[in-house]
Amino acid sequence: MKKNIKLPTCEEVIETFQETFSQLCAEELNLLFFNNSCKYYPKGEDIYQQGRRINGCYFVYSGIIKVFQTGGEGKEQIIRFAKKGDLIAFRSVINKELACTSAKAVDNAILYYIPSSVLINLLNSNSEFAYQMIKITCKELGESNCYITDIAQKTVRERLAEVLNILINDFGLDKEQILQISITREELANMVGTATESVIRLLSEFKSKGIVESKGRKLRITNTKKLIEIAKTY
Amino acid sequence: MKKNIKLPTCEEVIETFQETFSQLCAEELNLLFFNNSCKYYPKGEDIYQQGRRINGCYFVYSGIIKVFQTGGEGKEQIIRFAKKGDLIAFRSVINKELACTSAKAVDNAILYYIPSSVLINLLNSNSEFAYQMIKITCKELGESNCYITDIAQKTVRERLAEVLNILINDFGLDKEQILQISITREELANMVGTATESVIRLLSEFKSKGIVESKGRKLRITNTKKLIEIAKTY
DNA sequence: CGCTCTTTTGATCGGAGTCAAAGTCGGTGG
DNA sequence: CCACCGACTTTGACTCCGATCAAAAGAGCG
């Protein structure tokens, strides 16, 4: 059952890395990727856990990673799904804090581990890289702030539509309009910040309105326009 | 009626600035503060508005600034209160986007304006400053993420207690245990993400439990321990 | 094939939003 | 100085969205 997973070479990781971070020169890249510390995380495997000490961050070479927080009652709130080209856990590394999120592979993934010291040295020595990192962080911050307003003011229906739009943007639809991320109803609920049953009921409603279709975990989006309308995104 | 406001000298601004950003050398500081573009904003005055183009950011020399987003129905969600030593609006500057928040002085304030080009040049040339900015941004990002989880999972009662704790931390209590920020019930509601009436009812409840007292807009916190307990902060 | 996890639907309950109205406070001007 | 005005606060009544509980049906997997 266990397939032999081919891990990428340093060159392949570097190439992917450069699509996001183009500011680094050859020697800096070599510093970053000198030891090929790639690791394969099969679907369902934990990457790091909230509250634990963390000694580095991870560059996503492939796969999909769920980044989430666990609230008091043990319910998870999904902060985002990270994919190829994303860096995760750097926030805790930079602030030298315990991880304030957990991360788990929801699709077979290959991650490249970057020790704290390497990241921090790079940030301190290469201001263009630091600038790129600020931009990424600011982008995430803007999204988080908007999401606070949404979750505080919008109805669950509006938020579900919005989350679907975000997923469509981030992971796309194939030629059959099927959303290219496999996600459970519960995870959808944990993004929206609601109960699983509420998501199910609203999806039924969307189905009856001809906005989506679903067979099992495959979601076909048949009317993206209406979805945007419902989400009331300005 | 209008008092003569004494604006600070460059030296005074620089001194305050260095309490947060100690990485800059004399010439960089001079670059940043060469023209004394301080401005006084009386209580109630707008600083910048959501959706507008923004050409610089602001360093808070004194006073209290409300940073908020306006949702679809015109209701505001307060993202944070900025005070002495804080930088506001840099997120939009760095991402070169329209302002995604508005800001307004809720207490007479003096702000120093920093043009985009100056900030961005500095970020690109001084990696220690860039690193400091990343840290600040990451800190805000962590707080925003936690707040998403809270608002999605906690009750209004828990969130109100938490918001009060945050205000206590940020603005402190005087010797009479009175919270050192003057805030309307509506603003409290807009931080918590609830209706004004709900805040009032819960404050009454807190009063009856001997946790707070209030005369007008003065809030005396008589039992911080209980407040932390209610907030269920982990 | 049986076990478990996920999805779906139904019924019920309660937290919190909305609407309405009265009370309070502070400031302004006559 | 006092009366008035507008903004803010408080309380009550009602409604409803969405959470929770319960149970059945379906899907995936060893």
PDB file of all heavy atoms in Angstrom, chain A residues 48 53-58 88-90 93 113-117 119:
ATOM      1  N   TYR A  48       3.152  20.133  13.184  1.00  0.00           N
ATOM      2  CA  TYR A  48       3.556  20.666  14.487  1.00  0.00           C
ATOM      3  C   TYR A  48       2.298  20.970  15.271  1.00  0.00           C
ATOM      4  O   TYR A  48       1.202  21.014  14.703  1.00  0.00           O
ATOM      5  CB  TYR A  48       4.450  21.912  14.354  1.00  0.00           C
ATOM      6  CG  TYR A  48       3.778  23.094  13.723  1.00  0.00           C
ATOM      7  CD1 TYR A  48       2.999  23.974  14.467  1.00  0.00           C
ATOM      8  CD2 TYR A  48       3.902  23.332  12.361  1.00  0.00           C
ATOM      9  CE1 TYR A  48       2.373  25.056  13.879  1.00  0.00           C
ATOM     10  CE2 TYR A  48       3.273  24.410  11.759  1.00  0.00           C
ATOM     11  CZ  TYR A  48       2.503  25.263  12.524  1.00  0.00           C
ATOM     12  OH  TYR A  48       1.873  26.319  11.936  1.00  0.00           O
ATOM     13  N   ARG A  53       6.990  23.987  21.639  1.00  0.00           N
ATOM     14  CA  ARG A  53       8.088  24.806  21.170  1.00  0.00           C
ATOM     15  C   ARG A  53       8.415  24.404  19.747  1.00  0.00           C
ATOM     16  O   ARG A  53       8.258  23.247  19.359  1.00  0.00           O
ATOM     17  CB  ARG A  53       9.300  24.582  22.065  1.00  0.00           C
ATOM     18  CG  ARG A  53      10.328  25.622  21.774  1.00  0.00           C
ATOM     19  CD  ARG A  53      11.294  25.798  22.914  1.00  0.00           C
ATOM     20  NE  ARG A  53      12.536  26.312  22.335  1.00  0.00           N
ATOM     21  CZ  ARG A  53      13.715  25.917  22.696  1.00  0.00           C
ATOM     22  NH1 ARG A  53      13.854  25.028  23.662  1.00  0.00           N
ATOM     23  NH2 ARG A  53      14.790  26.411  22.112  1.00  0.00           N
ATOM     24  N   ILE A  54       8.858  25.380  18.981  1.00  0.00           N
ATOM     25  CA  ILE A  54       9.087  25.136  17.573  1.00  0.00           C
ATOM     26  C   ILE A  54      10.468  25.677  17.240  1.00  0.00           C
ATOM     27  O   ILE A  54      10.857  26.740  17.687  1.00  0.00           O
ATOM     28  CB  ILE A  54       7.951  25.837  16.794  1.00  0.00           C
ATOM     29  CG1 ILE A  54       7.584  25.042  15.578  1.00  0.00           C
ATOM     30  CG2 ILE A  54       8.316  27.245  16.448  1.00  0.00           C
ATOM     31  CD1 ILE A  54       6.335  25.605  14.930  1.00  0.00           C
ATOM     32  N   ASN A  55      11.254  24.915  16.488  1.00  0.00           N
ATOM     33  CA  ASN A  55      12.626  25.329  16.235  1.00  0.00           C
ATOM     34  C   ASN A  55      12.898  25.671  14.781  1.00  0.00           C
ATOM     35  O   ASN A  55      14.044  25.803  14.378  1.00  0.00           O
ATOM     36  CB  ASN A  55      13.581  24.216  16.678  1.00  0.00           C
ATOM     37  CG  ASN A  55      13.453  23.943  18.159  1.00  0.00           C
ATOM     38  OD1 ASN A  55      13.532  24.857  18.967  1.00  0.00           O
ATOM     39  ND2 ASN A  55      13.212  22.698  18.507  1.00  0.00           N
ATOM     40  N   GLY A  56      11.831  25.773  14.019  1.00  0.00           N
ATOM     41  CA  GLY A  56      12.024  26.102  12.623  1.00  0.00           C
ATOM     42  C   GLY A  56      10.690  26.223  11.943  1.00  0.00           C
ATOM     43  O   GLY A  56       9.641  26.009  12.552  1.00  0.00           O
ATOM     44  N   CYS A  57      10.757  26.583  10.668  1.00  0.00           N
ATOM     45  CA  CYS A  57       9.508  26.665   9.928  1.00  0.00           C
ATOM     46  C   CYS A  57       9.586  25.757   8.708  1.00  0.00           C
ATOM     47  O   CYS A  57      10.590  25.084   8.487  1.00  0.00           O
ATOM     48  CB  CYS A  57       9.200  28.105   9.561  1.00  0.00           C
ATOM     49  SG  CYS A  57      10.455  28.871   8.535  1.00  0.00           S
ATOM     50  N   TYR A  58       8.522  25.717   7.942  1.00  0.00           N
ATOM     51  CA  TYR A  58       8.421  24.744   6.873  1.00  0.00           C
ATOM     52  C   TYR A  58       8.032  25.425   5.573  1.00  0.00           C
ATOM     53  O   TYR A  58       7.125  26.260   5.535  1.00  0.00           O
ATOM     54  CB  TYR A  58       7.363  23.699   7.209  1.00  0.00           C
ATOM     55  CG  TYR A  58       7.623  22.965   8.493  1.00  0.00           C
ATOM     56  CD1 TYR A  58       7.245  23.519   9.721  1.00  0.00           C
ATOM     57  CD2 TYR A  58       8.265  21.733   8.491  1.00  0.00           C
ATOM     58  CE1 TYR A  58       7.493  22.864  10.905  1.00  0.00           C
ATOM     59  CE2 TYR A  58       8.521  21.063   9.676  1.00  0.00           C
ATOM     60  CZ  TYR A  58       8.130  21.632  10.883  1.00  0.00           C
ATOM     61  OH  TYR A  58       8.385  20.976  12.062  1.00  0.00           O
ATOM     62  N   ILE A  88       5.086  28.077   6.347  1.00  0.00           N
ATOM     63  CA  ILE A  88       4.246  28.002   7.536  1.00  0.00           C
ATOM     64  C   ILE A  88       5.095  27.995   8.806  1.00  0.00           C
ATOM     65  O   ILE A  88       6.251  27.621   8.782  1.00  0.00           O
ATOM     66  CB  ILE A  88       3.305  26.780   7.526  1.00  0.00           C
ATOM     67  CG1 ILE A  88       4.095  25.484   7.466  1.00  0.00           C
ATOM     68  CG2 ILE A  88       2.345  26.836   6.342  1.00  0.00           C
ATOM     69  CD1 ILE A  88       3.227  24.246   7.591  1.00  0.00           C
ATOM     70  N   ALA A  89       4.480  28.456   9.864  1.00  0.00           N
ATOM     71  CA  ALA A  89       5.076  28.465  11.213  1.00  0.00           C
ATOM     72  C   ALA A  89       6.136  29.546  11.414  1.00  0.00           C
ATOM     73  O   ALA A  89       6.722  29.627  12.480  1.00  0.00           O
ATOM     74  CB  ALA A  89       5.677  27.096  11.564  1.00  0.00           C
ATOM     75  N   PHE A  90       6.358  30.384  10.403  1.00  0.00           N
ATOM     76  CA  PHE A  90       7.405  31.379  10.556  1.00  0.00           C
ATOM     77  C   PHE A  90       7.035  32.434  11.605  1.00  0.00           C
ATOM     78  O   PHE A  90       7.903  33.029  12.242  1.00  0.00           O
ATOM     79  CB  PHE A  90       7.738  32.046   9.220  1.00  0.00           C
ATOM     80  CG  PHE A  90       6.654  32.928   8.685  1.00  0.00           C
ATOM     81  CD1 PHE A  90       6.636  34.273   8.985  1.00  0.00           C
ATOM     82  CD2 PHE A  90       5.640  32.405   7.889  1.00  0.00           C
ATOM     83  CE1 PHE A  90       5.637  35.088   8.494  1.00  0.00           C
ATOM     84  CE2 PHE A  90       4.638  33.220   7.392  1.00  0.00           C
ATOM     85  CZ  PHE A  90       4.631  34.564   7.698  1.00  0.00           C
ATOM     86  N   VAL A  93       8.277  31.345  14.900  1.00  0.00           N
ATOM     87  CA  VAL A  93       9.733  31.369  14.875  1.00  0.00           C
ATOM     88  C   VAL A  93      10.231  32.795  15.080  1.00  0.00           C
ATOM     89  O   VAL A  93      11.095  33.063  15.906  1.00  0.00           O
ATOM     90  CB  VAL A  93      10.270  30.817  13.538  1.00  0.00           C
ATOM     91  CG1 VAL A  93      11.737  31.176  13.346  1.00  0.00           C
ATOM     92  CG2 VAL A  93      10.085  29.307  13.479  1.00  0.00           C
ATOM     93  N   TYR A 113      12.160  21.642   5.755  1.00  0.00           N
ATOM     94  CA  TYR A 113      12.318  22.236   7.076  1.00  0.00           C
ATOM     95  C   TYR A 113      13.438  23.270   7.090  1.00  0.00           C
ATOM     96  O   TYR A 113      14.539  23.006   6.616  1.00  0.00           O
ATOM     97  CB  TYR A 113      12.624  21.132   8.092  1.00  0.00           C
ATOM     98  CG  TYR A 113      12.868  21.619   9.487  1.00  0.00           C
ATOM     99  CD1 TYR A 113      11.811  22.040  10.280  1.00  0.00           C
ATOM    100  CD2 TYR A 113      14.150  21.650  10.024  1.00  0.00           C
ATOM    101  CE1 TYR A 113      12.017  22.483  11.578  1.00  0.00           C
ATOM    102  CE2 TYR A 113      14.372  22.090  11.320  1.00  0.00           C
ATOM    103  CZ  TYR A 113      13.299  22.513  12.088  1.00  0.00           C
ATOM    104  OH  TYR A 113      13.520  22.957  13.361  1.00  0.00           O
ATOM    105  N   ILE A 114      13.143  24.442   7.621  1.00  0.00           N
ATOM    106  CA  ILE A 114      14.150  25.507   7.725  1.00  0.00           C
ATOM    107  C   ILE A 114      14.348  25.858   9.197  1.00  0.00           C
ATOM    108  O   ILE A 114      13.439  26.368   9.840  1.00  0.00           O
ATOM    109  CB  ILE A 114      13.692  26.770   6.973  1.00  0.00           C
ATOM    110  CG1 ILE A 114      13.440  26.438   5.499  1.00  0.00           C
ATOM    111  CG2 ILE A 114      14.716  27.892   7.112  1.00  0.00           C
ATOM    112  CD1 ILE A 114      12.829  27.585   4.703  1.00  0.00           C
ATOM    113  N   PRO A 115      15.525  25.566   9.759  1.00  0.00           N
ATOM    114  CA  PRO A 115      15.764  25.862  11.172  1.00  0.00           C
ATOM    115  C   PRO A 115      15.641  27.364  11.449  1.00  0.00           C
ATOM    116  O   PRO A 115      15.968  28.184  10.588  1.00  0.00           O
ATOM    117  CB  PRO A 115      17.209  25.402  11.394  1.00  0.00           C
ATOM    118  CG  PRO A 115      17.523  24.501  10.248  1.00  0.00           C
ATOM    119  CD  PRO A 115      16.694  24.965   9.100  1.00  0.00           C
ATOM    120  N   SER A 116      15.203  27.686  12.656  1.00  0.00           N
ATOM    121  CA  SER A 116      15.017  29.086  13.052  1.00  0.00           C
ATOM    122  C   SER A 116      16.232  29.941  12.741  1.00  0.00           C
ATOM    123  O   SER A 116      16.120  31.029  12.170  1.00  0.00           O
ATOM    124  CB  SER A 116      14.758  29.181  14.556  1.00  0.00           C
ATOM    125  OG  SER A 116      13.621  28.462  14.901  1.00  0.00           O
ATOM    126  N   SER A 117      17.393  29.452  13.150  1.00  0.00           N
ATOM    127  CA  SER A 117      18.605  30.277  13.027  1.00  0.00           C
ATOM    128  C   SER A 117      18.859  30.653  11.573  1.00  0.00           C
ATOM    129  O   SER A 117      19.256  31.781  11.285  1.00  0.00           O
ATOM    130  CB  SER A 117      19.805  29.510  13.584  1.00  0.00           C
ATOM    131  OG  SER A 117      19.918  28.269  12.914  1.00  0.00           O
ATOM    132  N   LEU A 119      16.634  30.966   9.133  1.00  0.00           N
ATOM    133  CA  LEU A 119      15.657  31.964   8.701  1.00  0.00           C
ATOM    134  C   LEU A 119      16.001  33.339   9.260  1.00  0.00           C
ATOM    135  O   LEU A 119      16.010  34.345   8.547  1.00  0.00           O
ATOM    136  CB  LEU A 119      14.243  31.566   9.136  1.00  0.00           C
ATOM    137  CG  LEU A 119      13.173  32.557   8.700  1.00  0.00           C
ATOM    138  CD1 LEU A 119      12.832  32.384   7.233  1.00  0.00           C
ATOM    139  CD2 LEU A 119      11.909  32.438   9.534  1.00  0.00           C
TER     140      LEU A 119
END
